[in-house]
Amino acid sequence: MTLKNKEELPLGGLIEEAGNAAEYETGGWRTFRPVWDFEKCIQCLTCWIYCPDSCIIVEDEKVKGADLRFCKGCGVCANECPPKIRAITMEEEVKFKK
Ligand code: SF4
Ligand code: SF4
């Protein structure tokens, strides 16, 4: 991707093309990441339903984790996982950078 200079950017920095979210890897904003404990997970898919970035990966009707290229670390998935299950913990991103 080539970055535009200020003369090339649309006024107000508006995104003019619709449906282009997949082209922007916004996961770089993240300071926490969700980590699944699949021993606890009951595959209710609640985290998948609530993720505001649609980045939770489901294969064969089972949650496999999050596509970290797009996960912003908001913690909604961990918050919405049923209280008796709590299969997701939010871990500091810096732990994975070592
Ligand atoms: S932390 Fe937020 S963006 Fe990342 S998978 Fe969970 S709900 Fe989605
Ligand atoms: S909400 Fe919790 S129990 Fe349900 S699928 Fe997601 S991680 Fe598993």
Side-chain angles (χ1 to χ4, degrees), residues 23-88:
E23 295 173 29
Y24 296 93
E25 296 189 7
T26 51
W29 302 350
R30 192 179 55 249
T31 53
F32 290 87
R33 74 165 64 177
V35 175
W36 271 258
D37 181 342
F38 290 109
E39 297 288 323
K40 292 183 182 175
C41 176
I42 57 169
Q43 297 296 344
C44 65
L45 300 184
T46 303
C47 54
W48 174 74
I49 292 166
Y50 279 91
C51 174
D53 290 298
S54 301
C55 64
I56 293 180
I57 301 162
V58 175
E59 290 172 4
D60 299 327
E61 300 179 9
K62 291 190 175 172
V63 169
K64 300 290 183 183
D67 185 336
L68 295 174
R69 293 175 304 158
F70 301 103
C71 169
K72 300 185 187 75
C74 65
V76 168
C77 53
N79 195 53
E80 297 302 329
C81 184
K84 288 184 179 174
I85 308 297
R86 288 286 178 238
I88 306 170

